[in-house]
Amino acid sequence: MSEAHTHHEMSFWEKYVFSTDHKIIGFQYMFTGLFMALIGGFFVYVFRMQLAFPGIDVPGFGHVSELAYNSLVTNHGTIMIFWFAMPVLIAAFGNFLIPLMIGADDMVFPRINRLSYQIFLLSALVLIASFFVPNGGFGGSWTAYPPLSAEAQYNATPLGAPMWVIAVGLEFVAFLLGGINFITTLMNARAPGMKMYDIPIVLWMIVIASILFMCSVGPLLAGAIMLLFDQLIGTGFYNPAHGGDPLLWQHLFWFFGHPEVYVVLLPAMGIVAEIMAVFARKKLFGYKTILYSVFATGILSFVVWAHHQFIAGIDPRMANLFTVTTLIISVPIAELCFVYIATLYGASITFSTPMLWALAFMAEFLIGGVTGIFLGASGLDVYYHDTYFVVAHFHYTFVPIAIIGFYAGITYWFPKMFGRMLNEYWGKVHFWGTIIPFNFIFIPLFILGAAGQHRRISGYVHFPDLYTQDLQNLRIIATVSLIAMLAFQVVFIVNMVYSWFRGKKAEINPWKANTLEWTVPSPPPHGNFAEFPTVYRGPYEYSHPDREVDYWPQNEPGPDPAKSRK
Amino acid sequence: MAFQVPVATSRSSTGIPTSRLAVWWVLASEIVIFGGLLMSYLLFRLLHTSWGYEAAHTNPYAGGFNTFVLLTSSLFVVLAHQAAEVGDTKRSFRYIWYTIAGGGVFMLVKAYEYTSEIMHGYTMLKSVFWSFYYTATGLHGFHVLCGMVIMGIIAQDVKKGKNLHRVEAIGIYWHFVDVVWIFLFPLLYIAK
Amino acid sequence: MSEAAEHHDDHSPGRYVKIWVILLVLLAVSIIGPTLGIKWLTLITAFGIALVKAGMVCAYFMHLNIELKYIWYLLLATLLLLLVLFTGFAPDVMKPSGQRWVSTYVEPTEEEIAVHHPEEGNEGDRIEAAPH
Ligand SMILES: [Cu+2]
């Protein structure tokens, strides 16, 4: 079948723009997501400058009006979740890895895959366009609660608000199409011999994330249509004066919004699992335990959503119930963290760049998880709600997920994706230059939040209690650290571009890993496999006592130690 | 560009053909889309006593006739699938077009209903009941239209004897659209 | 495969037509039921029959009766999810008033809804205006 692919010379457009090749589509998602992250990063720079130095002309932007501030915060959140974390973690890695790791030549529906990306691109363009319409982009927060989001007289963005809803809706459709592709591909297109427990954890995670997304987003998609009608036609779905209910939107939003946390968390945890097993040279501890914990988390994630609404006037009995479920869901997640650490126990660890990122993920995410318990308790949340404590908490979860998870993945699979090795030295410089400022951004925010600093204020000049020198110093520390963190990303961009063209050529299997993507050339050709592999064992047989080499590729004929041991 | 169907598409680790498996997942996602809308409707419907009076101004005979039309078109599409399975492409092609025609009749009746309701002042802005009525039937009608277009494309393939497995996939989707209507009908037209 | 034989039986056109006839009979009942004007009967004929109809279409037309079991589980799981959604939303969305707030929304009466056209008043199919 490989010859069929070679003798057709493809033009640039066919090869890189309208390609149906899963690897190219993965790159398209990745670079679009990274481009959007630059926008999101620029936005946070602007509004952090305004918070630290109220009223200044921010270099590169100018004066930040209240309207602009709201829009910047809203779209920073929206972009980072929907146009950076999701496309990069799920779509980019999912597209690149699924066919390669299961020994297939492509996704099962390549053209639907391409359509998925095109809709995603369209959604990004609609969002970007919304920044340039009169009154600017939507500023009612990424949660878009009505009536603020539903009525132009409140949000002051008659065009920006509906465009935001349309963009988010299109993005959902794109990920539904992509997700169906991921799920069916993993279910049906696996290499002969690859049974349920031979699938690499990262693929399980991406596909479970796609399923969670698919099951939770539907009601919100319906809700988004209703919101759009409220905005454009003037229906009263969320208007209590007409018999509607604004709480309905909050419920629909968080019914999706909480599972969404796991939608982005799981792929990141999957990436970390792959890296840990390879660089610890140990069999991943508790493969099935991990899997079942993830199933439990996935199911539980559908019954915790109202912990975001504790002070929204919801029924207090329900608040009790949701406190309990929220505390329960931290059990499987904590268990996952312990299982991961067990893999490291007694291992001879190589501290390569990907491994550093993976370890940093565990450490930082732990802080995010633990602080979440404060917020999950409905009593404490009355105080903490809408303070910077919440902001710091979810950044301690989302930054490890989206940013650290992405860097872990890209540094690990870079040789396979681009056929060259990333520079380790500059990779480590970038690592420390990102991790240290990251903590200096958000630890001050925890303190500010505990001091009572409310989230949705564009400058604290008019709030004497909050505008003390001490608190302002903390804000300045956070902003300066942010600028440092953003500056260090230049190191990564330069390293990536340089290594892409000038880096050391990568071998087929530079990390001595077991999974199937490391059995094809770097970068893999169109069609991936010259000869389709057969799978003989699970993906984590490292340092097996019967073997001279410390790894055991999945496709190497021979016994399956998981069976013979029994 | 000559598109080549990958080997992956023809694999079937689960034992279910890939196209059918994908349709089931599509339906799972559609169930939650329609379900979210209808659950929201149901919550309000049980809360607001006045919505029963609003519902009395829908036309249950038109709705009932449309149920009949969709049930019949479901029969046609299952017969099209049966014909495709035994290799009778001509008959399959014919039945697919009967199904499309059923969808067309459905849309015409729906258009008549909308027109007469709007003429009588029952517009989308009359009350939230009517907002739900137009949103739910509109979303459903959009699915009917999509199904018709896809079936038109598949019919062309069937005529040439290509991609016969797709008849089953679109059939399952079409039955689902039918099932959604089976629930919309009592929810919007009958419960008063 | 024992399924194969069953599969074959299922696929005769005559059988599909038979199911279609049953579905039409059920449809007729669900339309006639409400005209009797008994509330509980309306609910049973309308929603009970809708469930039966949907079940029959799923089983015989969509061939879920011969599909692998977990497709059933998948679809049922999504329905269960909707039940969770309903239960979680209901205490808030179905609340007409609370401790520190009142709803300004006033339910319109039957007359207020039907003021537009006199011919709307004499519809024969309308059943009792049952208050909740
Ligand atoms: Cu949550």
Side-chain angles (χ1 to χ4, degrees), chain A residues 79-378:
Chain A
I79 286 175
M80 288 308 194
I81 302 277
F82 293 132
W83 278 276
F84 168 56
M86 288 187 61
V88 168
L89 286 173
I90 302 186
F93 284 118
N95 266 309
F96 187 82
L97 294 178
I98 292 177
L100 281 171
M101 284 182 132
I102 64 172
D105 52 344
D106 208 325
M107 288 284 175
V108 288
F109 303 116
R111 281 171 296 185
I112 291 181
N113 209 14
R114 178 178 60 187
L115 180 66
S116 153
Y117 172 72
Q118 287 167 341
I119 295 176
F120 172 75
L121 183 64
L122 178 67
S123 77
L125 294 176
V126 172
L127 187 80
I128 293 172
S130 82
F131 306 150
F132 298 104
V133 297
N135 277 16
F138 175 56
S141 159
W142 82 289
T143 53
Y145 285 0
L148 193 55
S149 58
E151 288 182 48
Q153 53 170 319
Y154 301 139
N155 60 41
T157 50
L159 285 171
M163 283 173 83
W164 182 92
V165 177
I166 290 169
V168 172
L170 284 173
E171 202 258 9
F172 289 166
V173 172
F175 276 86
L176 278 177
L177 290 175
I180 287 164
N181 224 334
F182 288 3
I183 299 165
T184 27
T185 304
L186 186 73
M187 283 179 82
N188 248 2
R190 297 197 302 275
M194 186 180 260
K195 294 182 290 296
M196 202 173 145
Y197 297 119
D198 299 332
I199 300 170
I201 284 286
V202 66
L203 298 193
W204 269 115
M205 296 284 201
I206 289 173
V207 165
I208 293 172
S210 301
I211 296 174
L212 291 182
F213 177 78
M214 193 158 125
C215 293
S216 61
V217 82
L220 184 60
L221 208 49
I225 296 172
M226 286 147 70
L227 182 60
L228 201 60
F229 286 161
D230 271 15
Q231 290 171 334
L232 295 179
I233 308 177
T235 53
F237 288 113
Y238 303 119
N239 187 345
H242 294 133
D245 190 349
L247 266 181
L248 174 66
W249 169 268
Q250 295 190 13
H251 276 299
L252 288 169
F253 184 86
W254 289 114
F255 187 82
F256 160 77
H258 191 86
E260 170 70 11
V261 175
Y262 298 94
V263 169
V264 286
L265 167 66
L266 296 184
M269 290 205 80
I271 290 167
V272 167
E274 299 298 323
I275 294 170
M276 279 190 170
V278 168
F279 292 102
R281 308 311 289 170
K282 262 184 75 184
K283 189 178 172 129
L284 190 72
F285 183 84
Y287 178 102
K288 289 186 188 176
T289 314
I290 292 176
L291 207 53
Y292 297 145
S293 308
V294 170
F295 289 153
T297 312
I299 293 167
L300 281 170
S301 73
F302 284 102
V303 290
V304 299
W305 77 86
H307 61 214
H308 297 270
Q309 302 162 260
F310 283 150
I311 66 152
I314 63 165
D315 193 312
R317 292 164 299 181
M318 296 304 278
N320 282 344
L321 207 69
F322 279 103
T323 299
V324 173
T325 51
T326 303
L327 297 187
I328 292 176
I329 202 174
S330 57
V331 174
I333 287 292
E335 188 199 320
L336 274 178
C337 293
F338 283 124
V339 172
Y340 275 39
I341 292 167
T343 301
L344 301 176
Y345 182 75
S348 54
I349 298 171
T350 316
F351 290 98
S352 61
T353 315
M355 188 60 169
L356 286 177
W357 286 111
L359 295 172
F361 171 87
M362 297 300 296
E364 305 289 5
F365 183 78
L366 216 62
I367 301 175
V370 169
T371 50
I373 300 192
F374 295 79
L375 302 170
S378 59

Side-chain angles (χ1 to χ4, degrees), chain A residues 80 84 357 398-408 434 485 489:
Chain A
M80 288 308 194
F84 168 56
W357 286 111
F398 276 118
V399 171
I401 290 171
I403 296 180
I404 298 183
F406 163 67
Y407 283 135
T434 304
M485 183 175 158
Q489 305 318 303

Side-chain angles (χ1 to χ4, degrees), chain B residues 38 41-42 45-46 181-192, chain C residues 26 29-31 34 39-55:
Chain B
L38 292 182
Y41 165 78
L42 203 59
R45 177 71 184 78
L46 295 173
W181 183 258
I182 287 175
F183 286 108
L184 280 182
F185 176 54
L187 277 170
L188 295 172
Y189 290 82
I190 296 192
K192 285 167 188 168
Chain C
L26 288 172
V29 176
S30 70
I31 295 177
K39 179 117 184 132
W40 60 267
L41 192 70
T42 304
L43 288 177
I44 291 175
T45 51
F47 292 99
I49 286 183
L51 279 175
V52 177
K53 271 194 295 194

Side-chain angles (χ1 to χ4, degrees), chain A residues 422-485:
Chain A
L422 264 181
N423 183 299
E424 275 282 304
Y425 175 79
W426 289 107
K428 281 175 183 157
V429 168
H430 168 238
F431 169 78
W432 292 111
T434 304
I435 290 295
I436 296 169
F438 160 63
N439 287 286
F440 277 95
I441 299 170
F442 292 105
I443 289 173
L445 295 195
F446 274 125
I447 303 168
L448 284 166
Q453 178 177 312
H454 192 273
R455 278 172 82 176
R456 310 202 189 274
I457 293 170
S458 64
Y460 295 90
V461 184
H462 303 298
F463 299 84
D465 290 349
L466 294 173
Y467 200 59
T468 63
Q469 194 56 51
D470 291 351
L471 297 185
Q472 199 57 30
N473 284 343
L474 288 172
R475 287 177 202 127
I476 293 171
I477 293 175
T479 300
V480 171
S481 307
L482 169 79
I483 293 168
M485 183 175 158

